[in-house]
């Protein structure tokens, strides 16, 4: 994380990505005495059609204005997909700016009403995966979806959440890559600084994934989870932006085994008003960002 802390995010990204490309993937002979993982700097330069000295300057942050043509060549050599390529171009285009002051994340009143009417697990999350509001079905699906929780922290540090996911390895990789995508150039955002710092200290898995500099979106998809009461559930996930927050819903295929199990879970779950931005536990990160639930009546 040293390059990131010094502001050399482009160099850090280039180095991390070249270490993930094998010589065979790049069409080069593997060689018998390689001291670095992935490609060497001079190999990346050769394949991209630029001088080794210029590529070295890019990695070390001495040249922060590469042309789009150079970046496209590097994206090809580093085997970047569309999201990663866009991220690379954005790093080069980033310019120093004054710190932005974001307004507190707020759940609109109509979304509280929507949560109360939905009969499937639904909750609202912020940019850093903080749970801001949730209906009773979401909390019945996982207590880690209660307001005040952070989904990424739970995923990495809570043993029950780790057992909840059928493919925990993929889930952690997806979440960490999505966090880096969301952060973008908001590297001075206090919430992101707080969360990344906490997880870097407490989770080896996070440190490993963060060093890869993976970026991807985490929108729609399908996941399989192990519920302690109703068993295995195969659920689709959709994320719907509402103003500056995200509404997340989980739902099964109609008339499937998971549909039947989710109906059973609903029958076992008391129906009540959705839980909305309740105060976080004393001393927990983000407690000051919560707002009290709206008064009833």
């Amino acid at each position: 994380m040293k390059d990131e802390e010094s502001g050399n995010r482009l160099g850090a990204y280039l180095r991390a990505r070249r270490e993930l490309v094998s010589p065979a993937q790049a069409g080069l002979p593997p060689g018998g005495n390689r001291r670095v993982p992935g490609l060497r700097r001079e190999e990346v330069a050769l394949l991209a059609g630029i001088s080794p000295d210029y590529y070295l300057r890019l990695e070390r942050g001495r040249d922060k204005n590469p042309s789009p043509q150079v970046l496209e060549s590097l994206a090809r050599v580093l085997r970047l997909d569309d999201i990663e390529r866009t991220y690379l171009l954005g790093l080069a285009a980033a310019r120093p700016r004054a710190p932005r002051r974001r307004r507190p994340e707020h759940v609109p009143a109509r979304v509280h009403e929507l949560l109360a009417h939905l009969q499937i697990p639904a909750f609202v999350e912020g940019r850093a995966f903080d749970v801001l509001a949730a209906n009773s079905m979401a909390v019945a699906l996982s207590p880690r979806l209660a307001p005040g929780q952070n989904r990424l922290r739970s995923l990495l540090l809570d043993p029950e959440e780790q057992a909840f996911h059928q493919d925990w390895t993929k889930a952690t990789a997806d979440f960490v890559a999505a966090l880096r995508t969301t952060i973008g150039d908001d590297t001075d955002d206090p919430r992101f600084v707080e969360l990344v710092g906490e997880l870097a200290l407490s989770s080896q898995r996070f440190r490993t994934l963060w060093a890869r500099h993976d970026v991807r979106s985490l929108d729609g998809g399908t996941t399989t989870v192990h519920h302690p009461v109703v068993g295995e559930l195969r659920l689709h996930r959709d994320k719907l932006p509402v103003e500056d927050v995200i509404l997340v819903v989980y739902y099964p295929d109609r008339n499937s085994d998971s549909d039947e199990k989710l109906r059973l879970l609903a029958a076992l779950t008391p129906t009540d008003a959705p839980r909305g931005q309740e105060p976080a536990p004393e001393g927990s990160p983000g407690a000051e960002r919560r707002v009290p639930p709206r008064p009833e009546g």
Side-chain angles (χ1 to χ4, degrees), residues 21-255:
V21 180
S22 69
Q25 288 175 317
L28 298 173
N33 190 25
R34 304 184 68 87
R35 292 183 292 178
V36 295
L39 298 177
R40 301 184 180 100
R41 290 190 184 97
E42 58 268 24
E43 291 170 336
V44 174
L46 173 67
L47 294 169
I50 60 179
S51 73
D53 179 67
Y54 181 59
Y55 179 77
L56 179 62
R57 295 205 308 272
L58 288 177
E59 267 204 14
R60 292 186 174 176
R62 296 173 183 168
D63 189 323
K64 298 183 179 181
N65 296 288
S67 69
Q69 293 80 7
V70 166
L71 293 174
E72 293 287 357
S73 295
L74 290 171
R76 172 181 52 80
V77 173
L78 299 176
R79 303 171 64 85
L80 304 186
D81 61 24
D82 288 343
I83 294 176
E84 293 163 342
R85 172 183 160 277
T86 300
Y87 183 79
L88 173 64
L89 294 170
L91 288 178
R95 295 290 183 270
R97 55 174 175 77
R100 283 183 283 185
R101 295 189 63 183
R102 285 189 170 273
R103 62 182 181 180
E105 293 175 318
H106 171 71
V107 181
R110 69 182 188 280
V111 176
H112 285 283
E113 299 297 335
L114 176 60
L115 289 174
H117 284 84
L118 290 175
Q119 302 301 307
I120 55 176
F123 60 95
V124 176
E125 70 180 18
R127 298 174 69 237
F129 297 118
D130 294 310
V131 181
L132 306 178
N135 65 7
S136 56
M137 279 298 293
V139 180
L141 179 66
S142 169
R144 280 80 61 188
L145 294 178
Q149 298 283 336
N150 179 272
R151 299 183 67 205
L152 182 55
R153 184 192 301 114
S154 297
L155 187 62
L156 288 164
L157 303 180
D158 190 318
E160 292 184 2
E161 185 70 4
Q162 295 173 14
F164 182 70
H165 290 266
Q166 183 186 67
D167 193 342
W168 179 80
T169 299
K170 181 179 185 302
T172 53
D174 287 346
F175 267 76
V176 172
L179 178 67
R180 187 176 282 281
T181 305
T182 302
I183 288 177
D185 64 352
D186 264 355
T187 54
D188 55 1
D189 183 287
R191 180 62 186 125
F192 289 137
V193 172
E194 175 189 37
L195 182 62
V196 171
E198 176 193 2
L199 295 177
L201 290 174
S202 55
S203 170
Q204 176 60 51
R205 175 65 175 163
F206 178 81
R207 291 193 294 272
T208 299
L209 292 171
W210 196 249
R212 288 174 55 93
H213 287 250
D214 290 331
V215 290
R216 69 190 62 147
S217 61
L218 186 61
D219 298 322
T222 301
T223 187
T224 299
V225 298
H226 298 287
H227 192 276
V229 175
V230 299
E232 183 176 291
L233 293 165
R234 182 177 182 273
L235 301 173
H236 303 299
R237 176 191 67 242
D238 277 316
K239 291 191 169 192
L240 310 171
V242 181
E243 296 185 10
D244 58 350
V245 295
I246 301 293
L247 173 66
V248 186
V249 293
Y250 282 95
Y251 56 95
D253 288 324
R254 287 180 61 85
N255 302 318

Side-chain angles (χ1 to χ4, degrees), residues 255-285:
N255 302 318
S256 64
D257 182 57
S258 294
D259 190 10
E260 182 178 341
K261 291 178 179 179
L262 203 61
R263 292 176 187 275
L264 173 60
L265 183 62
L268 298 172
T269 302
T271 56
D272 54 13
R275 307 183 184 195
Q277 293 181 292
E278 300 168 351
E282 181 73 22
S284 66

